[in-house]
Amino acid sequence: MLIKFPASFSSAWKRTYLKVATVIVSLAIIGLLTIGHYGVSWDENVEISMVRFNFELITQGKLIPSDYKYYGTAFNLTSEIIFQIQTFIQKGFDYNPLNDAGIPDERLKYKVLYERIKVKHVLTFLVSLITYASVAGIVGILCGRDFAWFGAVALPLIPRFWGHSFFNPKDIPFAAFFTLSTLLGAYLVNHYLKVNQESQLEFNRTLIYSILYGILVGWLTAIRIVGFFVLFFIILAYLVGMLGAKTSYRNLRNTLIYYATTIVAWAITTIALQPATWSNPIGWFIETLAYMSKHGWGGEVLFKGQFISAKALPWYYLPTWVVLTVPLIFQVSFVLGLIFLVVKYSELSNLQRACAVLVLLQVSCLPLLAILRDSTLYDEMRQFLFILPGVAAISAAALVWIYQKLSRKSFKLIAVAFIITVLGAIAFDMVALHPYEYIYFNRVSGGLTQAHGRYETDYWGLSTREGMEWINNNASGNAKVVVGGDDDSAIIFAAPKLTAITKTEFEQKPLDKPFYYLAVPRYDLQQAFPECQVVHQVVKQNVPLTIVKECK
């Protein structure tokens, strides 16, 4: 089937879209062919349950348990809707989703949970493609459309982002729509700078763009509340753009009138998608911001070989993880990209300036606020995955600018060969780690081997799937398994013949030996049952992840 473009599209634009589409489709094929290899992460059951919590709040007035009222519902709700549509298609008109509330059989409960998780994994990955396409758009703005495709190549070669793209329902959707907001925000700011609106609101393109952008930021905020910062980023980018653009302060006043519709659209969308706000939107907003800046989680984090309370980590926790896990070529090229932006700033168009400002704000603003406010951090840089698309965009742009500066063809060939070699080495490491790309450490830091015992590796327990599958294939009939880690991540994959319980349940009511002990590399869980023999390990790059002990 041939792709048909509008007659107004030039041949150059057609080539640009075809190049970017080729990269995105290639990534989609690779991802969809391998998505079944990934396990289940620690928090996925809770994320799915949040839909039920909000449904019960609306229909029964039940309070949302614990701190889950502060967490976004948009992506979880979308995933549940898709699951229900799929189930309806499979079961027909007799299917009623409300009848699934209580499932008496424990194994059936895990089976239904896993069916939801599989839908969510696919949706998470498909949403991640928005990020790759958005980075391509940003690189196209900064370097010219002929090089946009390189942005879509650069981001998936930051292994931590690619690895999280298959199972992380919290941070990947946020990163995807944050990056899309940055890209479209650059075009919105450029539009504001180009047009002189009337002070009276009119139904025109400016009003439509403003409302649609407010809906996008509202959706982003309904995934994670800090998405509302994008509203401030837009104004800041506009004010910076005014310094170099031929626009009047009257235009600023008129722009603010249209921008007010963005804020209204944002507020309506955020409230509509967040049932916990309905009784007191302003109070919820203030309370949630306070909670997110000083998260109540008090667990311990493995950092530089020591277990440290998440509330007592040093300020350089996040920068350290960036240095350890972002490939060196992207770190160096990002710094070069910042230098190029400063040097080239006077030559940039309004669109390029707006894009540069918004990308830099995406990369720097929220991390700096977290550090300055001494926010509770944990799980390496997972909560800040949204900075990686910006890093990839600036890095890719820098490499393109260097390539464009090279005058001789031979120099360009050498540069291309060098980049292919370095990126190829990253791809090789990703293949070696698959399906645990999210535990990648760059080679300068010593890789995963040097990180073992000093930093968190498979803290979300994806490798418990492989461990449980080994027990399925090697245990005798009616074997018992104690799980040191998240029960859902492991028991979902347990064979019907097994009896599986958590370590906490075992401590309350011990099992008689023999039994197996399955443990993730977190919280010193693998040190339990020292008298038992290690009979299997899930190993990547000579580093054990999940281990299996046999207690006789």
Side-chain angles (χ1 to χ4, degrees), residues 279-537:
S279 60
N280 184 9
I282 296 176
W284 174 89
F285 190 80
I286 295 172
E287 190 178 337
T288 303
L289 280 179
Y291 171 81
M292 289 299 178
S293 65
K294 289 290 185 181
H295 194 284
W297 192 74
E300 290 189 331
V301 174
L302 179 61
F303 185 64
K304 292 192 172 184
Q306 295 181 320
F307 284 100
I308 305 173
S309 169
K311 297 180 179 181
L313 287 167
W315 69 267
Y316 51 83
Y317 176 79
L318 178 59
T320 298
W321 275 103
V322 173
V323 171
L324 292 174
T325 61
V326 175
L328 181 62
I329 187 173
F330 293 113
Q331 294 186 42
V332 173
S333 54
F334 177 76
V335 174
L336 292 176
L338 296 180
I339 295 172
F340 282 135
L341 284 175
V342 173
V343 173
K344 294 166 62 75
Y345 186 78
S346 61
E347 304 171 14
L348 300 180
S349 66
N350 288 340
L351 177 60
Q352 289 174 318
R353 291 179 182 180
C355 185
V357 170
L358 290 173
V359 171
L360 293 177
L361 287 171
Q362 178 175 341
V363 170
S364 63
C365 182
L366 295 179
L368 284 175
L369 281 175
I371 292 172
L372 292 174
R373 287 189 55 82
D374 194 25
S375 298
T376 304
L377 303 177
Y378 54 94
D379 287 358
E380 41 102 7
M381 61 173 298
R382 171 185 68 77
Q383 298 160 305
F384 295 88
L385 283 177
F386 61 83
I387 73 174
L388 294 180
V391 170
I394 298 297
S395 301
L399 294 173
V400 170
W401 287 329
I402 293 172
Y403 175 83
Q404 291 173 328
K405 286 291 184 181
L406 298 175
S407 56
R408 295 185 182 181
K409 186 176 181 180
S410 59
F411 290 168
K412 290 189 174 184
L413 290 174
I414 293 172
V416 170
F418 172 76
I419 291 173
I420 291 175
T421 301
V422 174
L423 297 183
I426 297 170
F428 178 84
D429 287 340
M430 293 173 70
V431 171
L433 289 170
H434 180 78
Y436 313 113
E437 295 93 337
Y438 92 103
I439 64 173
Y440 169 88
F441 289 81
N442 60 43
R443 295 193 175 198
V444 177
S445 71
L448 182 61
T449 304
Q450 291 299 313
H452 177 55
R454 290 178 50 79
Y455 299 96
E456 303 284 5
T457 54
D458 184 20
Y459 59 86
W460 253 356
L462 263 67
S463 57
T464 55
R465 173 180 180 170
E466 280 194 70
M468 185 61 78
E469 288 173 343
W470 183 90
I471 295 174
N472 291 341
N473 295 327
N474 291 273
S476 58
N478 301 318
K480 294 169 286 190
V481 183
V482 177
V483 177
D486 180 54
D487 57 332
D488 299 319
S489 300
I491 299 176
I492 276 175
F493 300 103
K497 65 180 181 180
L498 299 179
T499 299
I501 66 171
T502 65
K503 184 172 178 288
T504 301
E505 291 171 331
F506 177 88
E507 290 167 352
Q508 295 171 351
K509 187 178 180 181
L511 294 174
D512 294 330
K513 294 180 180 180
F515 60 82
Y516 290 95
Y517 178 58
L518 177 75
V520 299
R522 195 172 193 185
Y523 305 135
D524 258 351
L525 288 169
Q526 295 185 346
Q527 306 308 313
F529 302 104
E531 74 280 6
C532 302
Q533 179 185 0
V534 175
V535 292
H536 180 70
Q537 298 181 105

Side-chain angles (χ1 to χ4, degrees), residues 152-171:
V153 171
L155 179 57
L157 286 170
I158 297 182
R160 293 238 163 193
F161 193 89
W162 174 262
H164 277 275
S165 296
F166 295 90
F167 61 85
N168 185 334
K170 300 179 180 181
D171 308 293

Side-chain angles (χ1 to χ4, degrees), residues 78-99:
T78 303
S79 177
E80 181 64 21
I81 290 172
I82 293 173
F83 170 78
Q84 294 297 345
I85 292 173
Q86 173 186 283
T87 307
F88 178 79
I89 292 172
Q90 292 171 345
K91 296 187 176 181
F93 289 100
D94 293 334
Y95 173 68
N96 182 354
L98 299 181
N99 291 338

